[in-house]
Amino acid sequence: MVSPPVLDLSDDVVRLAAALCDLPSVSGSETALADAIEEALAGCGHLTLDRDGDALVARTTLGRGRRVVIAGHIDTVPVKENLPTRLVGGELWGRGTVDMKSGVAVMLHLAARLTEPAWDVTWVFYDHEEVDYTKNGLGRVARKHPKWLKGDFAILMEPTAAQIEGGCNGTMLVEIGMGGITAHSARAWRGLNAIHSMAEILTTLRDYRAREVEVDGLVYLESLSAVGIHGGIATNMVPDLCTLTINYRFAPSTSVEEALEHLEEVFSPYILDLKDAVAGARPGLDDPLVAEFVAAVTASGAEVGPKYGWTDVARFSELGIPAVNYGPGDPMLAHADDERCPTSQIHACADALANWLTKGE
């Protein structure tokens, strides 16, 4: 049996981030990294450790009045000649530095260091975030071991450039199909072109004006986009079928049912085929514990804004736990070949979380 690589949790948080990234863990291949994290956390006597597959949950049990859940995923998208990591001009370059192993490094660094936090803390390291929704390790833990995730407030270490991004938009995929009549393209008038019939819907999409929706003091910008179109039989035939795939990103104050009703109004009288839909999450900034966290982090210069994309904060919302996104790295560089994270943001997140979790002591 091969021993897992050794992670030194007492090391500088940036060097720890580099070590995590240099151990590849593309979705579906997280076991070696999960083993290394488990081995490292096993030496922390103040933590209770549980594991499900390649997801690990480490908890303090100090009997505090409140519990904070801090979560991050350990998998990445495929490596593309951007490992091993390298440090260039104050930035850590390489796959996973943004999404989201720098955030995971902050978690591990603090999980080992903070033996007497002001609140009990649950640290969640989970697998399969970068693939199909149903495979997500956080979702699996929520289904199988909901007590492991019990808490009053959650922080997801999504890359936010060390700013706070509250909640997240919901997301929906629908398809619209158009039928036609096949004919030889040299005698196109004998058929009905299904692709051409999509013109009115495409015009509707082009002219659509996205809504801006204020939720708990944050303004969420929605979006409606064609993300795929399929049709055609051969280059000398009029197609008799065309399918358009549409993605709708909707504000967290809107339910899945309301989002679908809105699309049915927009595209009436066409029939929509709902393929996938996930509700968003309200930012919950009016919750006292969330407000305390926001006040502590913004005091050091961070700002608060909305999260336009969907993130796993929505899973915490389903559990009745208010959650925010907060982590190092520019989200615009997530999954990029030139993925890189400023070391200043890694230190900023580590310091801000440490100060808040110890009430500045």
Side-chain angles (χ1 to χ4, degrees), residues 266-336:
V266 170
F267 296 109
S268 178
Y270 300 103
I271 297 174
L272 307 183
D273 181 10
L274 178 63
K275 308 305 291 187
D276 189 26
V278 187
R282 300 182 73 100
L285 299 181
D286 55 348
D287 182 276
L289 188 52
V290 180
E292 288 178 21
F293 172 74
V294 170
V297 177
T298 54
S300 61
E303 297 182 353
V304 184
K307 170 63 78 174
Y308 296 137
W310 188 91
T311 74
D312 279 323
V313 295
R315 296 184 187 273
F316 288 111
S317 181
E318 289 179 358
L319 296 172
I321 304 172
V324 298
N325 305 277
Y326 176 68
D330 181 352
M332 298 297 289
L333 291 174
H335 303 183

Side-chain angles (χ1 to χ4, degrees), residues 5 29 36-37 52-53 77 80 208 294 302 307 340 350:
S29 303
I37 292 173
D52 182 281
V77 296
K80 195 171 182 181
Y208 182 83
V294 170
K307 170 63 78 174
R340 61 194 185 277

Side-chain angles (χ1 to χ4, degrees), residues 154-313:
I155 300 168
L156 184 67
M157 300 297 292
E158 273 287 319
T160 62
Q163 309 301 307
I164 298 172
E165 293 183 343
C168 68
N169 274 339
T171 182
M172 174 175 288
L173 278 178
V174 299
E175 289 184 351
I176 299 178
M178 287 291 189
I181 300 173
T182 303
H184 196 291
S185 59
R187 293 174 291 278
W189 59 89
R190 294 179 62 88
L192 176 62
N193 194 308
I195 295 177
H196 293 181
S197 298
M198 207 57 85
E200 182 177 359
I201 296 172
L202 292 172
T203 299
T204 297
L205 282 164
R206 184 196 64 191
D207 295 340
Y208 182 83
R209 293 295 175 261
R211 301 185 296 188
E212 295 184 6
V213 183
E214 183 173 336
V215 183
D216 298 344
L218 299 180
V219 177
Y220 291 81
L221 179 62
E222 298 188 334
S223 63
L224 185 63
S225 306
V227 293
I229 187 165
H230 304 279
I233 304 168
T235 57
N236 61 350
M237 295 181 68
V238 172
D240 63 347
L241 182 64
C242 180
T243 302
L244 182 69
T245 303
I246 299 168
N247 182 216
Y248 180 34
R249 301 293 178 132
F250 53 94
S253 56
T254 301
S255 68
V256 168
E257 293 75 18
E258 291 169 335
L260 183 58
E261 288 176 5
H262 176 63
L263 293 191
E264 288 173 339
E265 290 177 4
V266 170
F267 296 109
S268 178
Y270 300 103
I271 297 174
L272 307 183
D273 181 10
L274 178 63
K275 308 305 291 187
D276 189 26
V278 187
R282 300 182 73 100
L285 299 181
D286 55 348
D287 182 276
L289 188 52
V290 180
E292 288 178 21
F293 172 74
V294 170
V297 177
T298 54
S300 61
E303 297 182 353
V304 184
K307 170 63 78 174
Y308 296 137
W310 188 91
T311 74
D312 279 323
V313 295

Side-chain angles (χ1 to χ4, degrees), residues 2-37:
V2 179
S3 299
V6 176
L7 296 174
D8 184 359
L9 303 189
S10 66
D11 201 355
D12 173 77
V13 67
V14 173
R15 285 193 291 270
L16 179 56
L20 290 171
C21 294
D22 288 337
L23 180 54
S25 56
V26 175
S27 301
S29 303
E30 299 98 325
T31 300
L33 180 54
D35 289 345
I37 292 173

